[in-house]
Amino acid sequence: GGSGGTSMDEPMGVPREDYAACCCAVHNLCLSLHADGIGTKWTTGAVNFDEGFAAAAGLPSDEYVVGTIWFGEAMVQPDAPRKLLSAEAVLTMHD
């Protein structure tokens, strides 16, 4: 864990480190779902901060929502975007 204060405003504060760790965990979850063919969309909007949402999610009063993850399978698989440059064009090999 981090050292320092108890505010998100403090760069070395535990809440900021906890928030960053949560964001990393959510991103890893999204990557894992993608690997299984499930699409995701991570959003944060007004609903995340509504007291009704917190109550429905069963959140204790000292916790808050980092975001909402939408997930599912696409009805149609879009074509992959065309790569503009090859890996060889942007990488340099060093000895």
Side-chain angles (χ1 to χ4, degrees):
S3 61
T6 59
S7 168
M8 284 286 285
D9 295 331
E10 298 177 46
M12 297 299 292
V14 172
R16 187 180 278 199
E17 184 172 328
D18 287 348
Y19 179 81
C22 184
C23 291
C24 291
V26 170
H27 188 243
N28 284 335
L29 173 64
C30 291
L31 290 172
S32 178
L33 290 170
H34 176 78
D36 288 338
I38 299 170
T40 61
K41 177 184 175 185
W42 180 4
T43 63
T44 304
V47 68
N48 295 129
F49 307 104
D50 186 275
E51 289 179 16
F53 184 86
L59 290 178
S61 62
D62 64 340
E63 293 184 5
Y64 59 93
V65 176
V66 172
T68 303
I69 303 170
W70 301 33
F71 63 94
E73 296 179 1
M75 291 177 65
V76 177
Q77 182 68 36
D79 293 333
R82 185 177 67 84
K83 294 189 187 294
L84 300 178
L85 298 172
S86 67
E88 292 78 19
V90 296
L91 297 176
T92 303
M93 189 69 122
H94 295 277
D95 293 329

